[in-house]
Amino acid sequence: MAGVSSDFRAFPADPAAVARLGGLGLDYRVLSPDDREALAVWSGAEHRGFHHPRPTPETVEREVALLQERRVHGVYDPELGDGIPVGTVASWPTGLSVPGGRSVDGWAVSAVTVAPTHRRRGIARAMMQAELANAVTAGAAVAMLTATEATLYGRYGYAPAARAATLEIDRRRVEWAGAEVPGLVRFVTDAAGFRRSAGQIVRRQVARTPGEIDRWPALVDRVLGLDDPDGESARATRVARYDDARGQAHGFVSYRITRDGMGAGVVEFDFLAAASDEAEAALWRFLLEQDFVSTVRARLRSVDEPLRWLLVDQRAITTTVGDHLWLRILDPAAALEARRYEGPGSLVLELDDPLGHASGRYALEVSARGVAEVQRLDGGAQDASGASTPTGATAPTRRSKPAHGLRLGVDALAAMYLGDARASLLARAGRIEETGPGSLAVADRLFATNRAPRLSIWF
Ligand SMILES: CC(C)(COP(=O)(O)OP(=O)(O)OC[C@H]1O[C@@H](n2cnc3c(N)ncnc32)[C@H](O)[C@@H]1OP(=O)(O)O)[C@@H](O)C(=O)NCCC(=O)NCCS
């Protein structure tokens, strides 16, 4: 995250949110990373907000350590006098993997809760708009989050940008059709010793998958059962790894098998990290070929998982797909230049952003190598085709072809940015208009990706 300010926890609370919430008699503030007590109380409020049980002291301890790495805001109602926030939100700068194996500077927003005693007074709106301002102050090109409900965040310019699939596989119908792999699946018996390799595998998976965000170390500790080794969840979890023919670990899965009475087990997992397709296939096979198991249930999987091509009977798999990563473009030029395209080609994007951050006209020029240059056109003179000349740029001397262009909302750009929704699909839904004939086809080609975007965690 080279481009993002390192003192992201230090700048003051957004004045607009302070004023708006102050008008409701509420106090909105940034918590100091050193105030462990306030962070512990905040953590309890967040658990309550998400309808989770009260956290144990050990859980609070772990969460405070994580929160110290984040920018944490609370909304307090002085009338209550108990020091427990009625609104919570935490955020941090993080990379988002984009097509082409690179990442864009992003701002992750998490832990958005408002106490049920204080709902629908505009507290969440004030906090969410402040997070967009914080992201801009920190220098992020995009903001992102995962959502409990799909109706919450469109109003702030976010859109679903990577979907997630839940796969349920009928174990009795599984017959492997994939190639034999040269390596070996083995149990991880020394989770602490595997920690470093696990971190590297996760980093490689994140880098090769558009839609993934950078991981924090505590997350890997949790999936390996290291954060609370004697806890119920860790004891129920098993970890298996795939080593290639040279003995190098290329993937691992953290899974559990649950049993209802004396019945066969159900394998469940939501964390299978693979740095290669070979490792991914090998781990799938290991999970699917367990005896005394009726079902394998995998969550947070890709919508273009190769799995069905690895089985003889594709109908063994039942797939449910839903929105998962929600993305908000804040700096269109930086965001568009960060990813790679199926070039060459050019497009003028006329962006409408009701909150103002990204509104404007942008010329996207993609080279044959798929590298983009973006120029902001606002204020430039318009030619007969409706295309603008960039402010300060020299007008082309030979007569140029009419520009291809799209008129769209900032949320539609987020939906197509990682390759999840094609421009032509969004146009069919009335979310995008082309400003010149053939523009949707150009956009479909430029933004196409060979791997569907995917985010494999909640945050
Ligand atoms: C979702 C939640 C944060 C909303 O807080 P809130 O302070 O009541 O929300 P606000 O009053 O600021 O509402 C802002 C807007 O969102 C809408 N909204 C709020 N909650 C909504 C919901 N559950 N479904 C649909 N719309 C909702 C409001 O109608 C309002 O719309 P408008 O301003 O465009 O007219 C709160 O209900 C909550 O904590 N829920 C449980 C935890 C959770 O799901 N958090 C979200 C984590 S991703």
Side-chain angles (χ1 to χ4, degrees):
M1 288 295 298
V4 168
S5 151
S6 58
D7 58 357
F8 68 94
R9 288 166 303 181
F11 55 80
D14 175 54
V18 171
R20 187 186 304 201
L21 293 167
L24 299 173
L26 302 169
D27 176 20
Y28 167 75
R29 58 175 188 263
V30 196
L31 276 62
S32 160
D34 301 325
D35 192 347
R36 294 178 55 85
E37 205 179 316
L39 291 173
V41 173
W42 185 100
S43 168
E46 187 221 350
H47 278 250
R48 187 176 69 184
F50 280 121
H51 315 316
H52 291 320
R54 288 181 189 83
T56 61
E58 294 75 26
T59 302
V60 172
E61 175 97 351
R62 277 195 301 277
E63 292 195 355
V64 166
L66 185 63
L67 292 169
Q68 288 180 307
E69 302 298 317
R70 297 185 171 173
R71 184 175 164 92
V72 180
H73 287 91
V75 178
Y76 296 84
D77 183 347
E79 288 277 304
L80 298 177
D82 58 8
I84 301 173
V86 296
T88 63
V89 59
S91 47
W92 67 100
T94 185
L96 168 72
S97 299
V98 295
R102 288 151 185 274
S103 75
V104 63
D105 291 339
W107 184 256
V109 181
S110 179
V112 178
T113 73
V114 171
T117 49
H118 287 64
R119 67 194 282 278
R120 303 302 182 274
R121 300 183 194 178
I123 297 177
R125 175 175 278 280
M127 295 195 302
M128 292 310 297
Q129 291 188 183
E131 285 308 325
L132 298 181
N134 292 337
V136 171
T137 304
V142 299
M144 58 246 179
L145 49 80
T146 54
T148 51
E149 299 187 79
T151 47
L152 301 177
Y153 298 116
R155 56 176 49 78
Y156 312 113
Y158 289 85
R163 287 164 297 153
T166 298
L167 307 182
E168 194 158 303
I169 300 115
D170 181 346
R171 162 73 187 91
R172 284 160 304 214
R173 295 174 74 165
V174 168
E175 189 184 337
W176 193 252
E180 293 295 324
V181 292
L184 182 74
V185 173
R186 29 191 289 220
F187 281 109
V188 171
T189 49
D190 170 16
F194 185 58
R195 190 170 183 257
R196 223 171 93 94
S197 292
Q200 284 165 353
I201 291 166
V202 168
R203 272 194 294 283
R204 286 168 62 196
Q205 173 183 318
V206 166
R208 76 188 195 124
T209 315
E212 295 281 19
I213 70 161
D214 294 343
R215 305 298 200 255
W216 48 100
L219 182 70
V220 175
D221 284 358
R222 181 171 62 72
V223 297
L224 292 179
L226 287 167
D227 62 349
D228 183 17
D230 299 324
E232 205 181 319
S233 160
R235 288 192 304 114
T237 300
R238 307 220 181 266
V239 180
R241 60 191 268 187
Y242 174 74
D243 292 355
D244 71 0
R246 289 182 306 148
Q248 299 290 314
H250 279 275
F252 70 98
V253 60
S254 163
Y255 70 100
R256 58 162 60 203
I257 302 186
T258 50
R259 287 184 58 205
D260 188 5
M262 296 303 287
V266 175
V267 173
E268 294 194 83
F269 70 94
D270 60 15
F271 202 99
L272 186 163
S276 69
D277 295 338
E278 174 186 307
E280 191 166 73
L283 290 165
W284 262 118
R285 185 172 188 178
F286 163 74
L287 293 160
L288 291 171
E289 291 188 343
Q290 306 244 2
D291 289 319
F292 196 36
V293 156
S294 60
T295 307
V296 176
R297 192 173 299 126
R299 296 194 173 84
L300 299 176
R301 300 304 305 173
S302 172
V303 295
D304 71 352
E305 193 82 32
L307 180 67
R308 65 197 171 102
W309 301 107
L310 293 168
L311 299 183
V312 171
D313 182 356
Q314 300 203 355
R315 292 190 199 171
I317 310 168
T318 307
T319 306
T320 315
V321 173
D323 62 275
H324 188 48
L325 171 73
W326 286 71
L327 184 67
R328 208 296 179 192
I329 308 280
L330 289 160
D331 180 343
L336 289 165
E337 284 185 353
R339 61 155 286 180
R340 293 292 181 260
Y341 300 83
E342 292 298 314
S346 55
L347 269 181
V348 174
L349 301 175
E350 294 182 19
L351 274 185
D352 176 37
D353 180 352
L355 296 180
H357 295 287
S359 291
R361 287 163 59 85
Y362 300 84
L364 171 73
E365 187 70 47
V366 180
S367 74
R369 287 178 28 250
V371 179
E373 264 185 44
V374 178
Q375 275 188 296
R376 189 152 184 177
L377 301 175
D378 307 59
Q382 295 225 324
D383 68 21
S385 72
S388 303
T389 305
T391 311
T394 318
T397 45
R398 66 186 167 78
R399 186 159 178 79
S400 46
K401 281 187 288 180
H404 287 119
L406 303 177
R407 192 172 297 125
L408 70 171
V410 68
D411 52 345
L413 181 62
M416 61 191 269
Y417 177 65
L418 297 171
D420 184 54
R422 276 173 297 117
S424 55
L425 180 73
L426 294 163
R428 283 165 61 194
R431 306 286 287 255
I432 290 186
E433 263 177 62
E434 57 181 5
T435 55
S439 302
L440 288 167
V442 171
D444 283 356
R445 174 173 57 78
L446 288 178
F447 283 80
T449 59
N450 59 6
R451 202 174 263 268
R454 172 189 177 209
L455 171 69
S456 60
I457 55 168
W458 289 95
F459 66 88

